[in-house]
């Protein structure tokens, strides 16, 4: 059985699949989808932007950033 959730937050879709297998194994995968949030890039005004962004074209930068996913599994088995 696969349970899928899709949460849209701002510019991104967070897609989580939870696979419940017959042998009791649980597998969780989270993927991210969305459009790049770009900003204006001016080499003369902020040359350090190259250190923290992908330069898409001479006047447009896509800042590097991270997405973190945290899980807590709290299994209450037989009331223990």
């Amino acid at each position: 059985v696969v349970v899928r959730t899709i949460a849209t937050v701002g510019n991104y879709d967070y897609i989580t699949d939870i696979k419940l297998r017959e042998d009791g194994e649980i597998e969780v995968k989270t993927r991210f989808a969305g459009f790049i949030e770009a900003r204006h890039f001016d080499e003369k005004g902020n040359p350090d932007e190259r250190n923290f962004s992908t330069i898409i074209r001479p006047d447009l930068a896509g800042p590097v950033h991270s997405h973190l996913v945290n899980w807590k599994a709290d299994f209450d088995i037989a009331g223990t």
Side-chain angles (χ1 to χ4, degrees), residues 26-42:
I26 300 171
E27 178 184 346
V28 179
K29 289 184 181 178
T30 300
R31 296 170 288 153
F32 312 101
F35 294 100
I36 189 168
E37 289 193 22
R39 63 182 173 206
H40 176 71
F41 172 58
D42 179 9

Side-chain angles (χ1 to χ4, degrees), residues 27-71:
E27 178 184 346
V28 179
K29 289 184 181 178
T30 300
R31 296 170 288 153
F32 312 101
F35 294 100
I36 189 168
E37 289 193 22
R39 63 182 173 206
H40 176 71
F41 172 58
D42 179 9
E43 179 90 45
K44 294 176 186 174
N46 185 11
D48 291 332
E49 181 79 36
R50 287 193 178 278
N51 298 328
F52 306 103
S53 297
T54 298
I55 306 305
I56 301 164
R57 62 180 198 219
D59 64 342
L60 194 63
V64 175
H65 61 284
S66 298
H67 295 255
L68 302 174
V69 176
N70 297 295
W71 284 91

